[in-house]
Amino acid sequence: MLLRVIALFLFSCSVFFPLYALENVTDPTCNEASSLKVLEPEDFSPVLRQALKIDHWAASTKDIRTSECRDKMPSLSEITQMNKDFYGSGDQSAVIGGVSLEGESPDSLMAFTDLLTNRGTFKNEMDTKDVSKKVPQSCKKVACATEAVFGKELGQKLLYLKQFGFNGSEIAHDSSSRFRKDEVDSIIRSVRAFPKGLFPLDTDKQITKFKRGYTLKVHGDKTLAFARIAFYDLWSDGNYSKEQMESTSFHEIAHYISSELDLDESPEWMAISGWVDHGDFQYSSARKDNFCSHYAKDSPGEDFAESLVAYRYNPELLQAASMEKYNFIKENVFGGVEYTSQKECQGKRIFPQIKNEHIETIIANQPFSLKEALESCSDASIELILNEPNSAENFDNCIQSEATNIQLSDDVISDLVANLSPPPKYPQLTEELFRQTFNNLGIERPYDPNIIGEARQHLKDRVTEKIFNSRNNPGAFVSVFGGGDIKEACKKNWTGFVYQEIDIFTNHDSGNINTSAYKKREEIEQFLRQMCVNSNRRGGRMILEDIQKELDHITSP
């Protein structure tokens, strides 16, 4: 039976990535269309086919199965433990999707939020689904709640993928179905096939199963996956081995990497095969002898994605086809990690040299600025505090993040990359890879917990000022009478005076901001106005301690 080969003429745009097989695709965010045509083997050079023994795909089932350093799929217990190690524990509480959670870390709360929040393509607002009916009230932990919503095994695996910045939740994405075990396992295998430290490139990248039994009208029955990344039934309906499912996912993730790092249409990559852009997403290549698969001949994007598949699962093929492509990918995607032998790839991470040799210099050259941290954290925290009780801890977490996280300037990145040995051939592209993956190295400033006290005082002052500036008398806060004469204070601004004198916005037991005081401000102000009247009648002889007791009663939760 005559072998048939599918080739794709497709376009690229910032939100649409090339597909493995596609017919008449129109992405709603782009104005161009793709079409599929079927090519026969004689359409390709016989010399090329024999010399390199290339096939339609860059790696066969056997190539993938026998590739170096291909990890075993971790067991559920191992994944559960890795999630515990990654997310850790914390002191934060939150209500997410109608579920009350306690003693969690910011990362775990954010992961659960992402899994429940739909960020549909055409939606301007995010919609977090209420899952309270699915989660027992006894579930106070993210792991427990996630398992209740998605099932024990899938819940843990979705949390695991979130470690790498991928969101596989069908709740979070339109027209999606829940992953089966074999499907999510293929995704996990493909993610783990990349070197440690490459991900996350983003915090919430879609990677889902499209709604079962359906395809978009513009797609044909030979489409495996598309755009955002989503997989059709054909990918997992038994037509392909689990290894091919893994490599399909790997290929799609390669497009995502290229988009994040701006690689497949960079002048450096285009030059290797002499790619020419004719506009309207039509390309031609001046070379016919340096491709690792027939599919790679379609466009610079497919050339790049297939070359990544070959680099990881069939490196000898890519080396035979083009050492220049091999070295480009080695330097600008894999950070020097190779897969030609167990020794070459075992335990390697991208950019370990920078971390090992320059960590002290990096920290010393990036001092912490409390002023900058306050500018970054205060405004959003104030708005949250004024609307959500007990949310001041979010401000603490923001300050701590600003204090420990390091943002490198372009000059520092250039200097660090320039000192790599051997020096990179494509320094600008290497700088972009380092910029995108720096946080994955885990380099942080030492944290001084004493800065929280100073930051909290600043926040308290800003919250109080915000409230007074929002009253009918703008600027009342700054004109508050500063002495202890209650009668005079009453004449000027009784409410402001009392707020300032007894510090109503501080919880005196914990030192935290008392947000329930703001929630009950109308009741408080009515009480204070009455106290002002009483003060005038009694010649100003009111005792602040008595007022404090009454306000404590009013503002108690």
Side-chain angles (χ1 to χ4, degrees):
M1 181 176 180
L2 187 63
L3 173 67
R4 310 187 78 194
V5 181
I6 302 172
L8 173 67
F9 290 107
L10 64 94
F11 60 92
S12 65
C13 65
S14 62
V15 295
F16 191 89
F17 304 125
L19 319 182
Y20 254 30
L22 187 61
E23 185 174 57
N24 298 327
V25 175
T26 302
D27 186 87
T29 56
C30 302
N31 295 321
E32 303 296 334
S34 304
S35 62
L36 171 133
K37 69 175 184 177
V38 177
L39 302 181
E40 306 299 343
E42 54 265 27
D43 292 321
F44 300 98
S45 164
V47 175
L48 179 64
R49 293 202 311 272
Q50 183 162 353
L52 297 181
K53 298 181 181 179
I54 65 171
D55 203 342
H56 181 60
W57 310 123
S60 67
T61 294
K62 181 180 179 181
D63 293 329
I64 298 164
R65 186 179 298 147
T66 59
S67 60
E68 298 290 352
C69 296
R70 182 170 178 260
D71 293 342
K72 291 195 314 180
M73 178 65 195
S75 67
L76 178 58
S77 62
E78 290 171 332
I79 287 176
T80 301
Q81 186 58 52
M82 285 187 283
N83 284 337
K84 289 180 180 178
D85 294 341
F86 179 82
Y87 292 109
S89 59
D91 58 1
Q92 291 205 22
S93 301
V95 178
I96 301 171
V99 180
S100 296
L101 302 166
E102 300 174 354
E104 289 290 359
S105 67
D107 287 339
S108 61
L109 293 176
M110 181 56 68
F112 189 61
T113 301
D114 288 342
L115 294 176
L116 299 185
T117 303
N118 187 293
R119 295 170 172 84
T121 306
F122 305 107
K123 294 183 178 180
N124 294 322
E125 296 182 359
M126 298 182 296
D127 178 22
T128 301
K129 184 172 182 178
D130 189 324
V131 294
S132 56
K133 293 183 179 179
K134 294 184 177 181
V135 181
Q137 291 187 354
S138 59
C139 262
K140 300 296 184 182
K141 296 295 182 182
V142 164
C144 176
T146 306
E147 290 176 2
V149 175
F150 297 98
K152 181 177 179 60
E153 183 164 356
L154 180 60
Q156 288 291 341
K157 289 178 178 179
L158 292 180
L159 286 174
Y160 181 69
L161 284 173
K162 282 296 296 176
Q163 294 185 33
F164 302 90
F166 293 101
N167 189 339
S169 164
E170 78 279 3
I171 295 174
H173 304 99
D174 294 332
S175 301
S176 297
S177 290
R178 182 163 293 190
F179 274 128
R180 297 194 314 250
K181 180 181 184 303
D182 61 319
E183 293 167 340
V184 72
D185 286 358
S186 294
I187 301 295
I188 289 174
R189 279 186 174 277
S190 66
V191 171
R192 286 172 60 88
F194 287 95
K196 296 177 181 179
L198 178 59
F199 300 123
L201 292 173
D202 190 7
T203 58
D204 198 42
K205 172 60 185 171
Q206 174 181 351
I207 189 163
T208 54
K209 175 67 184 68
F210 196 77
K211 190 173 182 180
R212 298 189 192 280
Y214 292 85
T215 60
L216 295 176
K217 291 181 179 179
V218 294
H219 291 172
D221 60 2
K222 293 180 180 179
T223 304
L224 294 180
F226 74 98
R228 281 172 280 276
I229 303 164
F231 299 90
Y232 282 135
D233 293 350
L234 184 62
W235 170 64
S236 57
D237 65 1
N239 286 288
Y240 296 93
S241 67
K242 63 182 182 181
E243 288 82 9
Q244 289 171 315
M245 289 173 64
E246 175 185 336
S247 67
T248 301
S249 175
F250 190 97
H251 176 107
E252 295 299 333
I253 293 173
H255 285 306
Y256 161 59
I257 292 170
S258 178
S259 175
E260 290 293 310
L261 301 179
D262 298 322
L263 291 174
D264 61 6
E265 292 192 7
S266 66
E268 296 87 347
W269 178 258
M270 297 277 282
I272 296 176
S273 287
W275 284 107
V276 178
D277 184 352
H278 299 288
D280 295 330
F281 309 104
Q282 301 297 314
Y283 301 91
S284 64
S285 171
R287 298 283 298 271
K288 302 297 181 184
D289 59 348
N290 68 348
F291 295 95
C292 62
S293 74
H294 298 318
Y295 192 48
K297 295 161 60 72
D298 183 78
S299 67
E302 297 305 339
D303 184 16
F304 182 84
E306 282 294 280
S307 295
L308 255 68
V309 171
Y311 185 95
R312 178 58 186 88
Y313 298 113
N314 196 4
E316 292 80 7
L317 173 63
L318 184 58
Q319 289 175 333
S322 173
M323 278 303 300
E324 193 170 2
K325 289 181 182 178
Y326 182 91
N327 288 327
F328 180 96
I329 292 169
K330 175 184 175 181
E331 179 176 309
N332 299 306
V333 178
F334 287 84
V337 181
E338 297 183 84
Y339 298 90
T340 53
S341 69
Q342 192 76 11
K343 180 180 178 181
E344 285 296 328
C345 57
Q346 188 66 43
K348 285 194 174 181
R349 304 174 66 94
I350 62 175
F351 295 125
Q353 180 184 351
I354 288 179
K355 181 174 182 179
N356 295 338
E357 297 179 8
H358 302 286
I359 184 171
E360 292 182 0
T361 301
I362 291 173
I363 293 175
N365 289 337
Q366 302 295 315
F368 169 63
S369 168
L370 180 59
K371 179 180 178 181
E372 293 179 3
L374 290 170
E375 291 176 354
S376 176
C377 299
S378 292
D379 289 343
S381 296
I382 289 169
E383 293 303 317
L384 188 60
I385 286 168
L386 296 182
N387 292 281
E388 294 292 335
N390 305 317
S391 60
E393 61 187 11
N394 292 283
F395 174 75
D396 294 352
N397 294 326
C398 182
I399 292 293
Q400 181 173 345
S401 177
E402 291 286 330
T404 56
N405 291 345
I406 296 174
Q407 299 295 325
L408 298 183
S409 67
D410 290 343
D411 290 342
V412 172
I413 291 174
S414 296
D415 290 343
L416 291 170
V417 170
N419 287 320
L420 286 172
S421 180
K425 183 177 180 181
Y426 310 95
Q428 289 184 333
L429 296 177
T430 304
E431 287 174 18
E432 181 60 23
L433 176 63
F434 181 59
R435 182 179 293 105
Q436 294 276 11
T437 61
F438 171 74
N439 287 338
N440 302 339
L441 289 173
I443 300 177
E444 293 186 340
R445 296 188 194 92
Y447 176 59
D448 178 6
N450 294 322
I451 66 172
I452 291 296
E454 184 177 351
R456 270 294 186 97
Q457 183 59 51
H458 168 89
L459 182 66
K460 186 174 65 176
D461 294 342
R462 289 284 308 277
V463 169
T464 308
E465 181 180 6
K466 178 83 172 180
I467 292 172
F468 284 117
N469 286 341
S470 67
R471 293 171 53 80
N472 295 329
N473 181 8
F477 173 77
V478 297
S479 64
V480 169
F481 185 79
D485 189 325
I486 295 177
K487 187 174 181 179
E488 288 300 314
C490 183
K491 291 178 181 178
K492 288 192 173 184
N493 185 353
W494 168 264
T495 306
F497 173 76
V498 175
Y499 275 19
Q500 187 182 54
E501 286 295 305
I502 66 175
D503 203 4
I504 193 173
F505 285 98
T506 297
N507 183 318
H508 295 277
D509 293 329
S510 64
N512 295 335
I513 291 173
N514 186 352
T515 54
S516 61
Y518 182 78
K519 289 290 186 180
K520 299 179 179 180
R521 61 191 181 281
E522 291 185 2
E523 184 178 355
I524 292 170
E525 292 178 6
Q526 182 179 358
F527 165 74
L528 292 177
R529 283 193 294 272
Q530 185 60 47
M531 291 301 99
C532 183
V533 172
N534 293 341
S535 174
N536 284 329
R537 289 174 179 170
R538 299 173 186 177
R541 294 186 298 276
M542 295 297 296
I543 301 175
L544 286 177
E545 288 79 1
D546 293 337
I547 298 175
Q548 175 72 70
K549 290 178 182 179
E550 183 61 25
L551 287 175
D552 285 344
H553 174 71
I554 293 175
T555 60
S556 61

